[in-house]
């Protein structure tokens, strides 16, 4: 069964776009972060605080594998860092997988994350200036992994509906 994977940096709109796409193509959406939160009964912030990032990355890998091996078709929304750890990027081109990188500019990401960072442990403590610098550097470091996706869809200046339609057309 098919797995449609949406990936991209924090704030690129993975969950919102996946929810809309799910309605358009009638395939259920599963959010990897939400699965982890449910499994652990802890928020992402609490997992980072209590167990550390390495523990989170291991868990993220295991839950990703579990979802890929499930018999049903899913849209899977990855966390921003998922493709960059534990060789997860190699799974973006597996059997029955369609992977789509939702590409957003530094400006778009900053505008979306600046006032919405508290639930994201990697940026929660940064002031706006530090955050912009961090996003620019981090996005550059992660681009190699994001670019392993089979398709790239630019999300800047598009509505959720437009992006979801563009992805549905790619999949048709
Ligand atoms: C992370 C992104 C988050 C979440 C965790 C780490 C990252 O997901 O998995 O805070 O490393 O970029 P979102 O991209 O859904 O915010």
């Amino acid at each position: 069964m098919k797995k449609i994977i949406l990936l991209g940096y924090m704030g690129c709109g993975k969950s919102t776009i996946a929810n809309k796409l799910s309605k358009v193509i009638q395939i259920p959406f599963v959010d990897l972060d939400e699965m982890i939160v449910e499994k652990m009964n802890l928020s992402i912030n609490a997992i980072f605080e209590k167990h550390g990032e390495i523990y989170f990355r291991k868990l993220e890998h295991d839950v990703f594998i579990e979802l890929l091996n499930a018999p049903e078709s899913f849209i899977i929304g990855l966390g921003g860092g998922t493709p960059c750890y534990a060789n997860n990027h190699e799974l973006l081109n597996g059997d029955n997988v369609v992977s789509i990188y939702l590409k957003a500019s530094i400006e778009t990401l900053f505008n979306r994350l600046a006032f919405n960072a508290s639930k994201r442990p990697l940026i929660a403590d940064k002031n706006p200036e530090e955050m912009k610098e961090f996003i620019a550097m981090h996005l550059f470091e992660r681009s190699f992994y994001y670019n392993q996706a089979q398709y790239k869809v630019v999300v800047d200046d598009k509505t959720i509906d437009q992006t979801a339609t563009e992805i549905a057309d790619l999949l048709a």
Side-chain angles (χ1 to χ4, degrees), residues 8-11 14 33 44 48 56-57 60 78-81 120-122 142:
Y9 201 75
M10 292 179 272
K14 296 180 291 287
D33 276 344
I44 299 291
F48 269 68
F56 172 80
R57 296 302 175 192
E60 180 178 50
L78 299 186
R120 292 174 161 116
L122 297 178
R142 288 182 164 187

Side-chain angles (χ1 to χ4, degrees), residues 1 31 66 70 102 115 137 146 149:
M1 284 290 156
D31 185 280
E66 199 181 303
L102 302 179
F115 303 101
M137 181 202 71
Y146 293 159

Side-chain angles (χ1 to χ4, degrees), residues 101-129:
Y101 169 28
L102 302 179
K103 189 168 195 273
S105 68
I106 296 166
E107 208 62 34
T108 300
L109 295 170
F110 174 72
N111 290 334
R112 290 186 188 169
L113 290 170
F115 303 101
N116 193 12
S118 63
K119 288 190 183 146
R120 292 174 161 116
L122 297 178
I123 51 171
D125 60 345
K126 301 206 182 319
N127 69 38
E129 204 175 308

